[in-house]
Structures are given as structure tokens and as C-alpha cells.
Amino acid sequence: MTHTRTHVHVGTANPYLACERCGHWASGFHDPDRCGCDAGYWLVPCRHVTGMTSQCPSWSPVNGCRCREFLGHVVHGPGRPVMPA
């Protein structure tokens, strides 16, 4: 008998979250509580077991990035692509 599992990945709304270990954009994390497995937490897609840090100092879920408005420039790059709702 073959057993397969689909892991549950929780996505993030902030497209400027980056892995604290490697610096790559993080689109979410694996949640073993929702998944029912004992694999632990890891970031998606890099699979590092670490935290995420926002690279955008002005991002909000309502207005998005407002760095150009407040700082006059954007120093953090475009962020990861956001999937349409």
C-alpha cells in the first residue's frame, strides 16, 4: 500500500517577506498543526527552519508598499509575485 501526504502551506499576504537565513523571498510556511504531520515548520520555498523578515518598512495589508510615497524611493526590490485572488 502506498501512502501519500499533501503538506499544508500557509501563504503570506506580504510579498516582501524574506528568509532570515538565505534572504530569498518567502511565500509562506509549512504548518504541521494544520497538516497533521510531525515534519515541523519550514519556509516555502527554501525549506529553511527560521523566521521571516519584511524587507519593506512601509508595507501594510491595506495599502501595500508605500516606500516611494514616504521615502521617495524603493530599496527592497519588487518582492515576490502575488497570486491574483
Side-chain angles (χ1 to χ4, degrees), residues 1 3 17 24 30-31 39-40 55 61 65 69 72 74 80 84:
M1 182 183 279
H3 296 280
L17 291 174
H24 288 100
H30 171 257
D31 186 352
Q55 303 300 306
C65 174
E69 207 173 309
V74 178
R80 67 174 166 78

Side-chain angles (χ1 to χ4, degrees), residues 24-70:
H24 288 100
W25 298 118
S27 60
F29 59 93
H30 171 257
D31 186 352
D33 296 333
R34 290 187 181 189
C35 188
C37 73
D38 58 357
Y41 288 91
W42 68 74
L43 298 182
V44 175
C46 67
R47 296 184 66 98
H48 287 133
V49 180
T50 186
M52 296 179 275
T53 301
S54 181
Q55 303 300 306
C56 179
S58 70
W59 190 87
S60 79
V62 175
N63 299 315
C65 174
R66 299 186 69 188
C67 287
R68 192 173 309 280
E69 207 173 309
F70 291 120

